[in-house]
Amino acid sequence: IPKETMKRVLQSTLLAPSGFNLQPWQIVMVQCPSVKQRLAEDAMLGGGNKGRVRDCSAVAVFCADLELEQRIHRIVQLQRQHENNVHNNTIGGMDI
């Protein structure tokens, strides 16, 4: 896969919308043959899938944040800060 193509795929994935724009995922692109082999053996079900992982140019591993509720306090904090800035006609402490 050409690097530019992989870069575009990753960028579009990272810009995909999610609830509250939290984007609770990380993506790891794996190209190393030995790591793909381990993924095939340890993470894939079915012989066909194992072969595909071993033989492909790159594997996208999606890692999800399963404890997303721990970030909710930060969302509330940012929302309050935004509301205060709008109320005070400021952005980042500067008058608008």
Side-chain angles (χ1 to χ4, degrees):
I1 300 172
K3 282 187 176 186
E4 192 58 39
T5 301
M6 194 177 307
K7 184 178 177 179
R8 284 196 316 265
V9 169
L10 280 172
Q11 285 174 334
S12 64
T13 304
L14 293 172
L15 295 173
S18 66
F20 295 100
N21 200 29
L22 290 176
Q23 298 169 320
W25 53 75
Q26 297 289 321
I27 304 161
V28 179
M29 294 301 291
V30 178
Q31 295 177 294
C32 177
S34 63
V35 177
K36 291 190 302 180
Q37 178 68 32
R38 289 226 27 221
L39 282 172
E41 293 171 7
D42 297 339
M44 300 306 298
L45 300 174
N49 289 332
K50 290 179 181 187
R52 288 181 186 100
V53 169
R54 283 190 300 263
D55 298 338
C56 68
S57 300
V59 176
V61 178
F62 287 75
C63 306
D65 182 351
L66 300 179
E67 297 182 4
L68 193 57
E69 66 278 356
Q70 293 183 11
R71 290 200 266 166
I72 297 299
H73 72 280
R74 178 70 174 141
I75 296 167
V76 171
Q77 179 185 17
L78 289 171
Q79 181 63 33
R80 287 181 180 152
Q81 181 180 354
H82 172 73
E83 290 170 358
N84 287 338
N85 288 343
V86 169
H87 177 73
N88 296 327
N89 293 322
T90 64
I91 295 179
M94 298 184 305
D95 290 335
I96 55 173

